Amino acid sequence: MRGASESRGWRASGDPAPVVLVARVGAATGARAAAAALACSASESDRAALLVDLGEDRAPRSTLVATAGARALEERLVAHLPDAAVASRGQICHLMLPPEPEGAAAIAATLPLVRESAAVIHLPPRLLQPLLGESHIRPTAALLRADLRKDRALTALAARDLMARGLRIAVLKRPLGWLSARAALLGALPKAGQAVPPWVAERLLDADDSKFRQCYPGKDESEGDRRETPQQDRYDVAHTQRWQEGRLSRDDQGHA
């Protein structure tokens, strides 16, 4: 199992590990699977990413097959947090916390234990602000799972707030397919780009923010680039920024 770090090098040695928040907007589904897929993208055989899940599901179970990095991360967390629901699953380590403010606060105590690994935090929308208010949690990026046909305005408001805090943003317009979602939650995605578009993983996981000053290539992207991510449509973040800044025409706003 190869992660994005082996194929593209999501961060150089010595760079701070990314901390990515993943939340749904409105009634959109598939945020947890998207978070797991992103964690798979950030993992490699000797250094697993941590998937932190503030959800109501039952505690995760370790899978029969897990990488050395995932097992090592599980052992470290169990040693320091003996009561935590933690499990090595494929190429990731999965930590379940209660979907309450106490769970968000517990993340601040957990992240120093995994500072060499990327952390992907799946959380319900109501905990987004409490988590952002935790001074010891310094998220670097956020992934919003949103249905723009129903929640474009709400998505724009959420993106505006997150970008104002200096976070890199991406939005997934559609959930992962059933098979990809199951594989992601097992930490067993064979190729990360098949589930999460490569541009999303690179934007959210790369430590070099200068490469992402232009959020979306828009009309300049080639047909070949579009064919590289057939399972997901790209979300025009630049369009959202223009909307937020009041620079869209009335006709544009009518289609937003």
Side-chain angles (χ1 to χ4, degrees):
M1 294 179 288
R2 293 173 60 87
S5 52
E6 292 180 9
S7 59
R8 293 189 296 273
W10 57 268
R11 72 183 180 100
S13 177
D15 287 335
V19 177
V20 185
L21 309 181
V22 181
R24 62 177 172 83
V25 177
T29 60
R32 176 181 285 108
L38 196 61
C40 289
S41 298
S43 296
E44 51 190 307
S45 60
D46 61 346
R47 184 171 56 192
L50 176 65
L51 171 63
V52 182
D53 191 356
L54 278 72
E56 298 178 349
D57 287 357
R58 61 185 180 183
R61 295 183 179 180
S62 298
T63 57
L64 294 176
V65 178
T67 63
R71 293 194 185 281
L73 188 54
E74 178 188 20
E75 292 173 0
R76 188 189 315 167
L77 290 174
V78 169
H80 289 84
L81 306 169
D83 296 327
V86 58
S88 54
R89 297 173 63 83
Q91 56 191 318
I92 66 175
C93 187
H94 192 164
L95 172 65
M96 181 72 72
L97 294 172
E100 305 296 338
E102 293 78 8
I107 297 175
T110 302
L111 292 183
L113 303 175
V114 297
R115 62 182 59 190
E116 295 181 357
S117 299
V120 181
I121 303 171
H122 169 252
L123 68 161
R126 60 186 174 82
L127 291 183
L128 186 57
Q129 292 301 322
L131 191 146
L132 290 170
E134 286 285 343
S135 60
H136 296 291
I137 301 175
R138 296 181 176 86
T140 57
L143 176 63
L144 300 176
R145 180 40 214 118
D147 184 346
L148 298 182
R149 294 172 298 178
K150 299 178 180 179
D151 295 309
R152 182 178 292 273
L154 185 59
T155 302
L157 290 173
R160 179 180 183 178
D161 178 63
L162 293 167
M163 286 189 289
R165 297 173 182 269
L167 276 64
R168 296 193 297 272
I169 304 299
V171 178
L172 289 183
K173 294 167 61 176
R174 298 178 181 176
L176 275 61
W178 181 86
L179 186 59
S180 293
R182 290 295 300 168
L185 290 168
L186 291 171
L189 280 178
K191 293 182 180 179
Q194 290 182 349
V196 175
W199 75 272
V200 172
E202 291 172 2
R203 174 172 176 75
L204 300 182
L205 297 174
D206 200 295
D208 184 3
D209 188 54
S210 63
K211 296 192 297 184
F212 304 105
R213 298 289 176 80
Q214 178 161 348
C215 297
Y216 176 61
K219 295 181 179 179
D220 294 333
E221 103 182 309
S222 66
E223 291 295 329
D225 291 334
R226 292 190 184 100
R227 286 194 295 269
E228 290 179 359
T229 56
Q231 296 184 9
Q232 293 281 354
D233 293 330
R234 296 189 180 187
Y235 176 63
D236 191 343
V237 179
H239 181 280
T240 301
Q241 289 176 317
R242 293 196 301 273
W243 182 15
Q244 294 162 357
E245 295 167 3
R247 294 190 283 113
L248 292 185
S249 68
R250 291 182 179 179
D251 290 340
D252 287 336
Q253 293 180 16
H255 292 289

